[in-house]
Amino acid sequence: GQQLNQSPQSMFIQEGEDVSMNCTSSSIFNTWLWYKQDPGEGPVLLIALYKAGELTSNGRLTAQFGITRKDSFLNISASIPSDVGIYFCAGQLWGYGQNFVFGPGTRLSVLP
Amino acid sequence: DVKVTQSSRYLVKRTGEKVFLECVQDMDHENMFWYRQDPGLGLRLIYFSYDVKMKEKGDIPEGYSVSREKKERFSLILESASTNQTSMYLCASSNGQFNQPQHFGDGTRLSIL
C-alpha cells in the first residue's frame, strides 16, 4: 500500500527549543493532517491542510503543505513539557476515496 | 466537539474467544473506521464503512469482521481471538464529504492470553 515516511523517528529536546519534523512520500496528496497522541490516548487532530503551499498555525504549532504535494512539515515553537507525545501525519491521496494514509509517527521527548 | 466513544479502555480475553469492540460517535458522521496500532508499525486500517450496512476491507482485515447496523455505531469483531491480535485498537469517524479529517476515540488496549 501507499506509505508515508516521517522524520525524525524520535527526538529529545530541551524545554524552550523549537522543533521541526516532516512527512514525505513518493505520491501526491490532496490533504495533509497532523495529529498528536498522548500516552494511552487516541490521536487528536492538530492541523489540517488542503492546498499546496498552505501555511497554517494553531498556537505554537505551524504546519505547511509542501509545494510538490508530496510532503508536509510541522514546527513547534518554544516547546513545553506537555508537547511530549507522538506526532502523526496523515495524507489523503487522489482517487483513494475518503481514507487517509498514516505515517509511523515522530516521538517527541522534552527535557526540563 | 466530535465525540467518539470506545466501550472499553482495557480488555483481557483468552485465545479462541469471540471478542466485540464497540464504537459510538455522536456527530452523525457517515464514515467510520477501525485501526490497530502496534509499535513501529503505525496505524493500520482493518475495516471501514461509508454508510449503514456498508463495510469495506482495509489493509489487514484477516481475522476480523465488522458490523454497522446503525449510523452511530461501528463494531469490530474478532471471530476467534489469537495472541497476535493483542494490540491497541482505535476507532475513528469522519464527515462523508471529501477531505474531512478523521476523529479518533481513546482506544481499546486489548490483550489476548
Side-chain angles (χ1 to χ4, degrees):
Chain A
Q2 301 294 334
Q3 285 192 323
L4 290 178
N5 303 305
Q6 279 191 253
S7 179
Q9 191 173 18
S10 63
M11 54 194 316
F12 293 82
I13 61 168
Q14 293 290 139
E15 184 176 354
E17 286 185 357
D18 296 342
V19 175
S20 291
M21 60 186 78
N22 65 56
C23 189
T24 60
S25 175
S26 57
S27 300
I28 293 174
F29 289 84
N30 59 48
T31 301
W32 287 100
L33 308 175
W34 284 93
Y35 290 87
K36 182 195 176 205
Q37 185 176 26
D38 291 329
E41 307 287 331
V44 174
L45 182 68
L46 299 173
I47 292 177
L49 302 161
Y50 298 104
K51 290 173 56 178
E54 179 181 352
L55 191 70
T56 298
S57 293
N58 178 5
R60 293 177 296 106
L61 277 62
T62 302
Q64 184 164 23
F65 194 138
I67 289 293
T68 65
R69 310 186 76 96
K70 295 181 180 181
D71 53 15
S72 180
F73 309 89
L74 177 69
N75 295 313
I76 305 172
S77 63
S79 58
I80 59 178
S82 62
D83 290 334
V84 166
I86 303 176
Y87 291 79
F88 291 99
C89 63
Q92 190 173 62
L93 292 159
W94 289 108
Y96 195 55
Q98 297 176 50
N99 295 2
F100 282 84
V101 178
F102 286 82
T106 291
R107 183 180 294 274
L108 177 64
S109 300
V110 179
L111 307 174
Chain B
D1 280 352
V2 176
K3 184 70 173 175
V4 179
T5 303
Q6 296 185 230
S7 54
S8 305
R9 293 296 299 271
Y10 301 94
L11 206 54
V12 180
K13 295 291 182 181
R14 296 208 172 270
T15 302
E17 281 192 67
K18 190 168 187 175
V19 181
F20 293 86
L21 302 184
E22 306 287 346
C23 176
V24 177
Q25 50 91 7
D26 67 356
M27 285 302 293
D28 201 36
H29 281 171
E30 286 78 11
N31 304 336
M32 296 189 75
F33 307 84
W34 275 106
Y35 295 89
R36 65 177 283 177
Q37 183 178 29
D38 301 289
L41 296 178
L43 275 70
R44 292 183 291 168
L45 183 62
I46 304 171
Y47 267 96
F48 62 98
S49 169
Y50 287 166
D51 201 354
V52 177
K53 305 276 187 185
M54 179 268 188
K55 59 186 177 184
E56 292 284 347
K57 293 179 180 179
D59 299 319
I60 52 163
E62 295 78 20
Y64 303 94
S65 63
V66 290
S67 173
R68 188 141 183 228
E69 295 296 317
K70 293 185 178 182
K71 189 176 186 180
E72 67 270 20
R73 186 180 297 271
F74 194 34
S75 303
L76 180 69
I77 304 156
L78 285 65
E79 297 291 343
S80 177
S82 64
T83 54
N84 63 12
Q85 292 178 308
T86 291
S87 186
M88 171 73 134
Y89 289 87
L90 290 164
C91 175
S93 73
S94 67
N95 186 299
Q97 296 181 25
F98 193 61
N99 285 5
Q100 293 304 298
Q102 295 179 15
H103 300 271
F104 286 85
D106 282 337
T108 296
R109 187 163 292 282
L110 175 65
S111 296
I112 307 296
L113 304 179

